[in-house]
Every structure is written in C-alpha cells, then in structure tokens.
Amino acid sequence: MTPSVATKTDESDRLRELGGERYRNDQRLGRRWNETVDTILSHRSVRHYLPTPVPYETVELAIAAAQSAPSSSNLQAWSVVAVEDADRRSRLNAVAGNQRQIAQAPLLLIWLADLARPRAIATERGSTAEGLDYVESFLLGVIDAALAAQNAVVAFESLGLGTCYIGAIRNDPETVSRELGLPDGVFPVFGLTVGFPDPAVPAGVKPRLPQTTVLHRESYDGELPQEDLAGYNRVLQSFQSEQAMPLVDWTDQVSSRIATVESLKGRHVLVDVARRLGFKLK
Ligand SMILES: Cc1cc2nc3c(=O)[nH]c(=O)nc-3n(C[C@H](O)[C@H](O)[C@H](O)COP(=O)(O)O)c2cc1C
C-alpha cells in the first residue's frame, strides 16, 4: 500500500488484515498504519529460496540497518560473517543438522558476539579488560548481535528478501568457530539464511499467542491463561494444516522442546564451550 494514495479507511482495513493474520482473533491494532509496521507484522520465516544470489549492495544496506540498532554503551560488540561459498555452507549445515533452507539459500550470515575487538582495544591501552570476564559481558555481546540481526531481517524483508534464523549452529559452536577462523572471545550466536523466497512455496504468517497472554499491565500475572492456550493450539493447528505441516499442539511442542537434556541437542554444554572459546563467564 502506497502511503500517498492510501485513505484512512484503507489503512484501518490493512491493519485489521495484518492483525487477523498474526492473531486470528479480533485484536485491535488502531488506525496508524505505515510501511514499517506493515513489514514487521508481515514477517514469516522463509525456508524455500530461489538460487538467485543476494546483491552485494543489498547485503551492505542490511548491515547498515544492523549497525543502526542500539548497542549497549555503544560498544558494538558484534560482528557477522557472510558465507556464500557452497562448500563452507555445507560444512556449517552439517553442524545445524542439514537443514534444507541452509542448502538452498544463496547466503548464510553468521552473527557473532564479539568481545575480541573491545579486548584488543583495551589491551592496546594497557588495560586488563577484566570487565569482559563476566557473564554480563557475554550477555551484552549476545544482545547486541541479536538486536543487530533483527534490524537486518526487517531491512531484508522490506526489500522483498526472506530470511530464517538458524539457532542450530549452536549445536557445535567450536566447529563453527574453526570453520570461520574466529579468534578467542568471539561466539557464534546464530545463523541467518537470506535469499529471494521461492514463490512456488510461499510461507504463511505464523499466528502468535493472544496479546493478553504476553502483555502484563503494571505487574506480572503468573496465572496460566488456559483458555488462551487452548485457543492458540486450535489457531496454530489451522495454520499447520494450511501449510501442510504435521498437526501438533503448541503446548506439547513447548513442553517437549524443554523436557530433557537431550532436547537441547548438545547445547547443554554451552558454558564449557563458551569458556573454551575464550569467555570466562564469572
Ligand atoms: C534465535 C532463533 C533460532 C532459530 N533457529 C531455527 C533453526 O535452526 N531452524 C529453523 O528452521 N528455524 C529456526 N528459527 C525460526 C523459528 O522457528 C521461527 O521464527 C518461529 O517458528 C516463528 O515462525 P516465524 O518466524 O515464521 O514467525 C529460529 C528462530 C530464532 C529467533
């Protein structure tokens, strides 16, 4: 929808449409539509790509969007490695359990919490950089990387590209680290596949929990909203059936994803791995 030609009624209708897709209930989103919220509310992970390469200038634009994200104390404690080489992508894909979208996407971005750069800067100035040895600094790098990556996602999507986060590279961060030549103090947080979505296999907008479940006013309401959850199970099953996915209750998915150490797929040892990659995590 072009803002110059859109009327207020068009905008309200579009917001109703966007809210309907995201929640499949009567969630109100007001009347203040713009292209930015349209892009954000239309998000869907893309797992089927065309082989067309992502133009390098688009990558540079998305990285500028990433660098425009806020950063804790402006330390900018993140970096990203852009991987296009098919053999390297395939070796990284082995870590991630060989996911189709990694094999298909022409570009894989690996987002890094990067404490090596601030350490090098501090060391040059004769500092011990003791502050980097604490969990807080690891978290800072991870948060900075996540905020940056999500800005890049919004930029890519606004330009007609699709993306899918790949947390599964944390199944084996040491192999990823060796593959990318990461120095001590750099941790691969997640990957992101990027490419032009294959129009033959369009991805749908995955509904989310009703806002009443996640939005607390003034203080946290700890009651499990049973009706909301049952309703969401039904909504998500309709989505799954439209997308020809196996029908699974969301509440069962949540429960099994966190049920056992095995369900963490090797990521239960991440504290030890992060220590070996140069984070003291005090
Ligand atoms: C940090 C993170 C890691 C993820 N890792 C994977 C992954 O390894 N493979 C995958 O197919 N999707 C992955 N996803 C995508 C989620 O499954 C997806 O965002 C979620 O199901 C919601 O669907 P939507 O993005 O289409 O709205 C990841 C998402 C995030 C935020």
Side-chain angles (χ1 to χ4, degrees), residues 22 43-45 47 99 101 164-170 190 204-206 208 267:
R22 182 56 73 201
H43 160 77
R44 74 277 321 259
S45 291
R47 297 186 178 85
Q99 301 190 29
Q101 66 270 25
C164 183
Y165 280 100
I166 305 293
I169 62 149
R170 292 196 308 279
F190 42 67
V205 167
K206 192 182 278 183
R208 293 295 196 261
R267 302 182 213 169

Side-chain angles (χ1 to χ4, degrees), residues 24 83 119 176 213 243 252 254:
R24 304 201 183 189
V83 180
R119 183 177 293 284
V176 174
T213 315
Q243 297 281 306
D252 287 343
V254 169

Side-chain angles (χ1 to χ4, degrees), residues 81 83 85-95 108 110 172-182 188:
V81 181
V83 180
D85 180 77
D87 293 337
R88 178 165 286 126
R89 272 194 291 126
S90 153
R91 289 192 295 273
L92 291 166
N93 199 2
V95 171
L108 176 64
I110 306 289
D172 185 356
E174 284 173 296
T175 297
V176 174
S177 175
R178 272 193 303 276
E179 179 64 43
L180 302 179
L182 305 182

